[in-house]
Amino acid sequence: MNDSTPALRVAMIGHGFMGAAHSQGWRVAPRFFDLPLRPSMDVVVGRNAEPAAEAADRWGWRESETDWRRVIERDDIDLVDIVTPGNTHAEIAIAALEAGKHILCEKPLANTVAEAEAMADAAATAAERGVFAMVGYTYRRVPAATFARDLVAAGRIGEVRQVRANYLQDWLVNAEAPLTWRMNKELAGSGSLGDIGAHAIDLAQFITGQRLVSVSGILETLVKERPVLAISHGLSGVAGTERGPVTVDDVALFTGRFESGVLGSFEATRFSTGRKNAFRIEVAGSLGAISFDLEELNTLSFYDATAPALERGFTRILVTESEHPYAGAWWPTGHLIGYEHGFSHQVRDLVDAIAAGTQPTPSFADGLQVQRVLDAVETSSGNGSAWTSIPD
Ligand code: SOE
């Protein structure tokens, strides 16, 4: 990549935690991957001018703006990166696609299946004009997770027999932790289920190469009201004396059946005391198993049941060899990477696909399918945990 490389002019809408992580991806990816298009971090959009200007300065965006509608109409913007809460994804993404902008949209795709269907339809129409959309399930792009998929696809664990996916956090164990947008169904769509359960669904399907066809689940809100943040937009500030309702789930537990008939067990919770971001996936097969833990993201545990019986055991593979997915772009083997590198891998794959005129994955259709699984879990939970099919 050099100055003659065509630019990909990016506008990012939102600038919270995911805004910081996406900014890191846009800023760093071009320096470690030879990209066919040169991302330029042109505009960051926020509802309030001063915080947006501060975000532009801190994260390296050329301009800041407060009106996303004006930004998506600009003819000097090629791609819109949506990192706002889920209740705004559909309106922004559909308008931007219709304006001819490529899209990167944070997960989950939307707050409802209806919104996700409209987004997937708009993306399918735009793709016919060479305008592409991706949904940001970045954990697929952790080298160890991609390598796990490669091992399963190569048959190294044989036939998949069972899947378990647990995403464990504990940031809401304190009942006095204040209400934020993530606990408001109108803004977030759901709680642990859509926020981290969506990752468990997407990654389990990605690693196994199989989709879920039915689920049986239960959602629970453990703390039903919390202190209200003094500042109205609820994204930061000091908790006041007023209390408000938690309108989303704190814990999601569900069983899933994959298209092959295999059963999977899933857990997404913000009340697993002591677990900070423990996203664990284990896939057990007829000839072996893989086990991944995001809190040990540079390693993959691999069990080879075909090894001599006395030598069998889970091997801790350090996924940092240059031949491992993405790893060759960074450091010599054994020099580890972190949480943020998945966002650079996401930029690499998105830019490569746009330059090649091919559909980046996961697509909005993939995001819609995850949304349907989320919806089926919610339906099941409201119906005595009855098995609920996921429409194709
Ligand atoms: C909070 O649960 C959160 O930031 C999620 O929103 C992200 O998707 C996950 O990657 C880390 O935890």
Side-chain angles (χ1 to χ4, degrees):
M1 190 178 74
N2 52 49
D3 287 349
S4 65
T5 306
L8 181 71
R9 299 160 298 181
V10 181
M12 184 173 76
I13 300 177
H15 53 81
F17 169 17
M18 281 302 116
H22 282 230
S23 299
Q24 175 108 348
W26 292 115
R27 196 169 55 243
V28 171
R31 289 161 174 79
F32 284 83
F33 295 94
D34 293 326
L35 300 181
L37 298 171
R38 180 173 41 81
S40 64
M41 300 169 66
D42 288 354
V43 191
V44 58
V45 181
R47 283 173 300 182
N48 302 296
E50 191 177 329
E54 285 166 8
D57 181 52
R58 172 183 288 274
W59 301 121
W61 294 85
R62 202 190 313 276
E63 300 171 44
S64 62
E65 249 284 1
T66 57
D67 182 350
W68 64 264
R69 289 176 180 78
R70 188 163 50 219
V71 169
I72 66 169
E73 292 306 331
R74 285 172 49 165
D75 57 13
D76 63 344
I77 292 295
D78 304 307
L79 183 145
V80 172
D81 184 5
I82 303 168
V83 291
T84 51
N87 64 310
T88 60
H89 290 182
E91 182 184 18
I92 297 171
I94 292 170
L97 284 165
E98 289 171 352
K101 310 305 182 192
H102 302 293
I103 302 288
L104 173 57
C105 182
E106 255 303 307
K107 43 55 60 183
L109 186 62
N111 282 2
T112 67
V113 168
E115 288 172 348
E117 285 171 341
M119 294 169 79
D121 288 347
T125 302
E128 291 167 8
R129 304 198 313 270
V131 173
F132 295 107
M134 176 200 263
V135 58
Y137 285 104
T138 50
Y139 293 137
R140 294 173 167 217
R141 299 185 154 96
V142 172
T146 307
F147 183 49
R149 176 196 171 94
D150 294 347
L151 288 173
V152 173
R156 295 290 284 116
I157 68 168
E159 293 296 312
V160 173
R161 290 280 191 256
Q162 206 178 333
V163 179
R164 65 184 59 80
N166 310 95
Y167 201 148
L168 314 176
Q169 296 179 340
D170 72 353
W171 57 281
L172 283 182
V173 166
N174 174 5
E176 290 308 301
L179 281 176
T180 68
W181 69 270
R182 291 179 187 274
M183 287 154 257
N184 177 332
K185 188 172 182 62
E186 285 304 308
L187 300 178
S190 63
S192 292
L193 176 65
D195 183 29
I196 49 181
H199 280 300
I201 294 162
D202 178 71
L203 198 59
Q205 295 187 135
F206 175 70
I207 288 175
T208 60
Q210 299 188 31
R211 291 197 154 178
L212 288 163
V213 295
S214 61
V215 291
S216 162
I218 185 163
L219 304 179
E220 191 104 339
T221 304
L222 304 182
V223 173
K224 302 195 186 312
E225 64 167 33
R226 291 179 178 272
V228 174
L229 279 173
I231 296 178
S232 62
H233 55 73
L235 292 180
S236 64
V238 176
T241 54
E242 184 191 347
R243 303 183 77 79
V246 174
T247 53
V248 298
D249 57 285
D250 289 322
V251 179
L253 300 174
F254 57 99
T255 306
R257 190 176 292 281
F258 290 86
E259 58 196 76
S260 67
V262 161
L263 285 174
S265 56
F266 296 80
E267 178 183 9
T269 176
R270 294 159 167 171
F271 280 73
S272 185
T273 312
R275 301 299 181 194
K276 302 308 173 183
N277 205 30
F279 179 18
R280 300 161 170 179
I281 286 210
E282 195 153 294
V283 181
S286 57
L287 300 178
I290 61 97
S291 184
F292 169 74
D293 181 350
L294 184 62
E295 288 186 351
E296 303 286 338
L297 69 79
N298 285 281
T299 64
L300 181 70
S301 294
F302 172 59
Y303 183 89
D304 180 357
T306 68
L310 299 184
E311 298 171 18
R312 287 175 203 157
F314 271 99
T315 304
R316 177 179 174 273
I317 300 171
L318 199 57
V319 189
T320 59
E321 298 300 324
S322 59
E323 297 82 2
H324 281 130
Y326 307 102
W330 300 103
W331 319 118
T333 187
H335 295 67
L336 311 181
I337 65 170
Y339 165 77
E340 77 274 15
H341 291 79
F343 293 89
S344 288
H345 302 162
Q346 176 170 262
V347 165
R348 197 279 307 262
D349 294 343
L350 175 57
V351 171
D352 279 356
I354 288 172
T358 56
Q359 175 60 53
T361 57
S363 65
F364 276 16
D366 295 325
L368 167 58
Q369 188 266 343
V370 172
Q371 206 75 42
R372 286 179 167 148
V373 178
L374 298 171
D375 185 63
V377 173
E378 198 147 1
T379 301
S380 173
S381 177
N383 190 18
S385 299
W387 278 96
T388 305
S389 295
I390 293 133
D392 182 354

